Amino acid sequence: MTDNLPLVGKPGRSWYPEGIIMISACAGLFLQLALAVAAVPQKATPTAPAQKLPPPVLDTVGDIAFVPLLAEGFAALPLQQKILAYELSAAARAGDPITYDQRGKHFPLIRRVLEELVTHLPATLPLKERRLFTDYLKLFYVHHGYHGRNSLKFLPEFTPEQLERTCLLARVAGARFPGVTTPAGLKQLLDSLHRPLFDPAYEPQSVVKHPPEGMDILSASATNYYPGLTLREVERAFTPPGRERYPLNSTVVKVKGGVSEEVWRLGTADGNIPPGRYADELSGVVAHLDAAVGHALPGGDQQKVLRQLIAYFRTGEPEAFRHYNTLWVKDRSPVDTINGFIETYMDPRAAKGEFEAVVFVTDEPLSRVMHLLADNAQAYEDHAPYLSAYRRTGIKTPQANAVAVVTAGGGADPILPLGINLPNEQALKQTYGSKSVLLANVIAATDRALAERIAGEFSCTPAEVPLAQRHAAEASRLLISAHEVLGHGSGKTSPRLTGDPRRYLKEYYSTIEEARADLMALWSVSDPMTEQLHVSSGPQVAQEAFRGYVRGVLASLRRVPRGNSFEEDHARARQLVTQYLIQKVGAVKIHARGGKRAYCIDDFAAARRGVGELLGELMRIKAEGDYAAAKTLVETYGRTFEPDLRDEVLLRARALKLPSHLAMVAPDLVPLRDAAGKITDVLLRYPRDFLGQRLTEAAAAMPKAPIPTPQ
């Protein structure tokens, strides 16, 4: 997919460099959506009076800016499709609590405590002190516990004493903390959370792929996929490969005599398959998916798709998920969803899928570039600068559309990607193709909040700024589209590999795949065929794509305020590409202008040759499963950066009040019902209070059982 600030990709997600994001926000961006559903024999419901649109930025907390996510075409949908979107959105939000447990074993309990506290803050509490708690909860919601893009722990600004004192006051005001019946019980609860909340040395990073001496990537990481286990214990249990029956959807736990997989599933109604981990949350997901089935377009594939997704959540069987993916990539419904255990960024082994969900509607007019790239995917593959043995043949035309996101949940929320390409499994891509989406309203929101300031501050020369203003919007759309459609969909593996490449490349797989997709996009946007197909308006667009890419890599250094290394795969991928062009090829230079450094490209032909050279090597590495070569490249070019350059970038960003991330505040879907309870319309309401939106949702979805204190 694609990140909402720095864009760059993943087997399923792109997150591209910030400087490339200059999409102009167009009024009525998605009003043409009705074209996508015009063939549906159903009368559209009358629309409510237009709501006044919110400002580009709703709030800022620390390095986070909260921006509204507009989905202006929703009102034009027929009623059946609105109700479908409503149920799919409810399913997306029902699974959101799963992500907190996956990110860290203490986080579900911390979330409950914070929600009770903030909901019952005493009216007498001074505003300054009140904001200490509300601001921290906002950030906790945004990151699900750890910084989502740099995996670093963030600490509250309130003290343990302030927390205890305020919790006691909140308890008097009606707060009900989990398992607490006395003040002594409250103190015991807060003592159990002291280190997770306040100790910077306790589980300081969620994902660590370069562990300190004496630790490994699992014991050094705080994520909750392998509680208490070392990498050696896990590898010994699952050797030879294939012994891990549920590699994507299980928590591996210690048991007497070894390890066991706790499968993430609801269980079947007949009891033949028992419930597993996250059964309570999945019951809500499945209930809303089941309701959505009745509103899917009749005569199409979407009903089959949703029923198969339900079957997967019930059984947890990998084959059920593969079958779901084969159906989903063919489905062309105008209202669609991604829902499940999908991306593996948060697992140091790149195996376990974090829960995520996105609901979106297709925008046909804005999908033109995606369609052209998809229709010519084979030609681009034939032009790729790697050996013919690694080129795909007979490419099935991938689905590719621009969409407007309505709702997101789990790891995709509220820091949304800019593009998505799924499924991730290489064998499925090669056999059945893939589906790519450009999240157009996310890009537009990003542009409104950031684009001009980034281009003005981090461009190489003043002359680049007007070039960015003229061409970056087109370059951004094109690069993201090529990343998803051509990048992740390209190449094939060697017949010598007996499984998915991630099994061989292990912790380096996601970085290699993201860099490979970025490189394929850069190579393709500068292919003369792109201009000949009228996908691009000219060579200046490709040049801006290159400039914006490296500009964004420099600007994104502000996102890692401590240390000198990247742990997140998208950041490593972008750094790998840029530093290879700087150090190995010499096509990107570091120039200083007025004491401010910038990444500059003087020779675009040399930059493209370097891109082709590195792309060829990364394709070989993936195709052959060459772990040693992957490690060498990532460790040499992708992992570390100069702290003094980062400090300079931080100072410049702070002077501009430039946030490091954007949290997308999605609209509320509000059903209108008649006297019999039947839905007569679904309205979009744009909230201006992110915290209020989340607390309302939390109050409506209280867990059925107390959350146990982690051991």
Side-chain angles (χ1 to χ4, degrees):
M1 295 184 183
T2 309
D3 192 351
N4 84 358
L5 286 196
L7 316 169
V8 352
K10 136 97 200 184
R13 166 180 315 190
S14 306
W15 315 79
Y16 276 92
E18 303 163 278
I20 229 25
I21 308 172
M22 291 284 291
I23 305 297
S24 299
C26 301
L29 186 62
F30 302 103
L31 290 178
Q32 298 300 316
L33 179 65
L35 297 177
V37 293
V40 180
Q42 189 177 35
K43 185 178 180 181
T45 56
T47 58
Q51 183 186 168
K52 184 179 179 181
L53 294 181
V57 177
L58 301 174
D59 188 14
T60 58
V61 178
D63 63 347
I64 299 295
F66 295 85
V67 300
L69 189 63
L70 307 181
E72 298 174 44
F74 183 86
L77 288 172
L79 176 59
Q80 180 180 348
Q81 294 288 282
K82 288 183 178 180
I83 299 174
L84 172 65
Y86 168 73
E87 295 292 356
L88 293 177
S89 295
R93 297 305 305 159
D96 188 69
I98 295 172
T99 304
Y100 291 92
D101 184 73
Q102 292 178 320
R103 294 272 175 107
K105 60 182 179 290
H106 298 282
F107 291 155
L109 182 57
I110 290 174
R111 179 187 176 188
R112 282 285 303 278
V113 169
L114 291 172
E115 288 173 344
E116 283 293 305
L117 172 62
V118 171
T119 301
H120 297 89
L121 281 174
T124 56
L125 198 68
L127 178 61
K128 185 176 180 180
E129 192 168 354
R130 176 185 295 269
R131 288 202 62 172
L132 295 178
F133 298 104
T134 57
D135 283 357
Y136 182 76
L137 181 53
K138 290 176 188 178
L139 295 178
F140 190 83
Y141 279 138
V142 168
H143 296 299
H144 292 85
Y146 284 87
H147 272 296
R149 298 291 169 254
N150 62 28
S151 81
L152 295 174
K153 183 174 187 174
F154 58 95
L155 301 178
E157 294 187 12
F158 52 81
T159 66
E161 294 74 23
Q162 283 177 307
L163 176 62
E164 183 176 356
R165 181 174 66 250
T166 310
C167 282
L168 286 169
L169 293 172
R171 190 166 176 266
V172 173
R176 296 293 178 261
F177 298 105
V180 171
T181 57
T182 65
L186 177 60
K187 178 172 174 47
Q188 184 178 7
L189 170 65
L190 296 179
D191 285 347
S192 73
L193 298 178
H194 178 86
R195 293 193 69 198
L197 276 171
F198 297 104
D199 185 351
Y202 178 78
E203 298 184 340
Q205 285 188 260
S206 57
V207 179
V208 179
K209 296 191 177 182
H210 193 265
E213 188 175 351
M215 304 183 79
D216 60 46
I217 60 174
L218 297 191
S219 59
S221 299
T223 48
N224 198 27
Y225 297 119
Y226 313 93
L229 287 165
T230 65
L231 180 62
R232 183 177 179 183
E233 289 172 320
V234 172
E235 289 184 335
R236 186 168 57 226
F238 298 133
T239 300
R243 292 186 62 185
E244 192 172 7
R245 186 176 173 189
Y246 302 95
L248 189 67
N249 62 314
S250 70
T251 301
V252 182
V253 296
K254 281 186 176 182
V255 295
K256 187 175 181 180
V259 303
S260 178
E261 295 177 83
E262 291 185 356
V263 187
W264 308 336
R265 66 187 177 203
L266 174 59
T268 54
D270 58 14
N272 289 334
I273 297 178
R277 196 176 182 109
Y278 306 135
D280 283 347
E281 293 85 354
L282 290 174
S283 67
V285 175
V286 166
H288 288 291
L289 290 177
D290 192 55
V293 170
H295 299 284
L297 292 177
D301 294 326
Q302 193 169 32
Q303 290 185 342
K304 295 178 184 177
V305 172
L306 294 175
R307 289 192 179 106
Q308 185 58 37
L309 182 58
I310 291 169
Y312 168 62
F313 283 141
R314 285 196 172 278
T315 66
E317 291 299 320
E319 192 53 43
F321 187 58
R322 292 190 190 98
H323 185 40
Y324 156 75
N325 277 302
T326 64
L327 295 172
W328 180 76
V329 295
K330 295 184 292 185
D331 180 44
R332 297 181 179 273
S333 300
V335 175
D336 199 358
T337 188
I338 293 162
N339 192 311
F341 307 110
I342 298 170
E343 305 296 354
T344 61
Y345 302 119
M346 298 308 297
D347 177 10
R349 291 177 63 226
K352 305 299 178 187
E354 184 176 45
F355 178 83
E356 71 173 61
V358 185
V359 180
F360 47 87
V361 293
T362 302
D363 185 280
E364 288 293 347
L366 290 177
S367 297
R368 174 185 167 274
V369 168
M370 303 280 282
H371 294 165
L372 285 170
L373 291 175
D375 291 345
N376 292 278
Q378 185 65 65
Y380 280 106
E381 181 79 357
D382 295 340
H383 290 191
Y386 40 78
L387 295 177
S388 59
Y390 307 140
R391 288 188 191 143
R392 290 178 63 188
T393 56
I395 292 179
K396 298 178 183 298
T397 300
Q399 281 205 58
N401 288 303
V403 302
V405 175
V406 177
T407 304
D413 171 75
I415 300 177
L416 273 153
L418 297 176
I420 300 170
N421 174 272
L422 291 171
N424 286 333
E425 191 172 330
Q426 185 66 24
L428 293 177
K429 281 184 188 292
Q430 291 182 192
T431 305
Y432 300 100
S434 62
K435 186 185 289 188
S436 298
V437 291
L438 181 80
L439 309 187
N441 58 338
V442 178
I443 296 172
T446 302
D447 174 56
R448 288 193 298 269
L450 285 177
E452 289 191 18
R453 288 187 290 166
I454 288 176
E457 178 65 26
F458 294 100
S459 290
C460 185
T461 67
E464 282 188 8
V465 177
L467 291 173
Q469 291 171 340
R470 285 198 296 271
H471 305 301
E474 182 183 353
S476 175
R477 287 194 297 266
L478 182 56
L479 192 61
I480 298 166
S481 300
H483 175 104
E484 300 299 348
V485 178
L486 306 177
H488 288 308
S490 64
K492 69 178 182 180
T493 56
S494 167
R496 288 187 289 273
L497 265 61
T498 58
D500 195 271
R502 74 182 65 237
R503 181 188 297 176
Y504 297 86
L505 300 182
K506 301 178 182 178
E507 70 269 26
Y508 295 103
Y509 172 79
S510 292
T511 297
I512 293 297
E513 175 61 14
E514 287 311 316
R516 194 186 69 85
D518 277 359
L519 289 161
M520 185 65 177
L522 288 166
W523 179 265
S524 299
V525 300
S526 54
D527 188 320
M529 181 173 65
T530 301
E531 188 177 348
Q532 294 164 10
L533 292 169
H534 302 291
V535 176
S536 165
S537 61
Q540 65 275 14
V541 175
Q543 291 181 6
E544 181 55 35
F546 275 74
R547 279 194 299 263
Y549 186 91
V550 299
R551 180 193 303 138
V553 172
L554 177 62
S556 68
L557 286 174
R558 73 190 191 282
R559 306 180 100 187
V560 189
R562 304 193 300 271
N564 72 330
S565 66
F566 293 111
E567 296 295 339
E568 200 274 330
D569 291 305
H570 296 96
R572 284 187 166 196
R574 296 190 297 272
Q575 180 77 344
L576 192 164
V577 171
T578 303
Q579 289 301 317
Y580 188 91
L581 294 176
I582 292 173
Q583 299 179 38
K584 183 78 175 347
V585 181
V588 176
K589 310 288 185 182
I590 302 177
H591 293 173
R593 175 167 62 93
K596 297 178 179 180
R597 283 174 282 185
Y599 290 164
C600 305
I601 302 176
D602 299 323
D603 187 342
F604 285 97
R608 188 169 193 265
R609 286 194 299 271
V611 162
E613 176 184 299
L614 183 56
L615 175 56
E617 175 61 3
L618 293 193
M619 188 64 248
R620 184 198 67 79
I621 287 171
K622 177 181 178 180
E624 300 293 344
D626 190 341
Y627 177 87
K631 180 178 180 180
T632 297
L633 272 177
V634 175
E635 295 294 329
T636 302
Y637 301 109
R639 187 172 67 84
T640 61
F641 54 81
E642 296 179 35
D644 66 322
L645 180 59
R646 182 272 318 282
D647 293 344
E648 176 195 314
V649 170
L650 267 177
L651 288 174
R652 293 161 65 181
R654 287 169 181 165
L656 287 173
K657 297 184 179 180
L658 194 67
S660 67
H661 298 83
L662 297 184
M664 301 288 162
V665 184
D668 294 322
L669 275 65
V670 183
L672 302 182
R673 302 178 186 271
D674 61 18
K678 183 179 178 181
I679 296 178
T680 58
D681 201 358
V682 179
L683 305 182
L684 285 189
R685 290 183 182 165
Y686 293 107
R688 297 176 183 239
D689 179 7
F690 172 77
L691 183 60
Q693 181 191 50
R694 293 304 163 95
L695 288 174
T696 299
E697 178 183 275
M702 273 300 217
K704 300 174 184 177
I707 298 174
T709 302
Q711 301 299 314

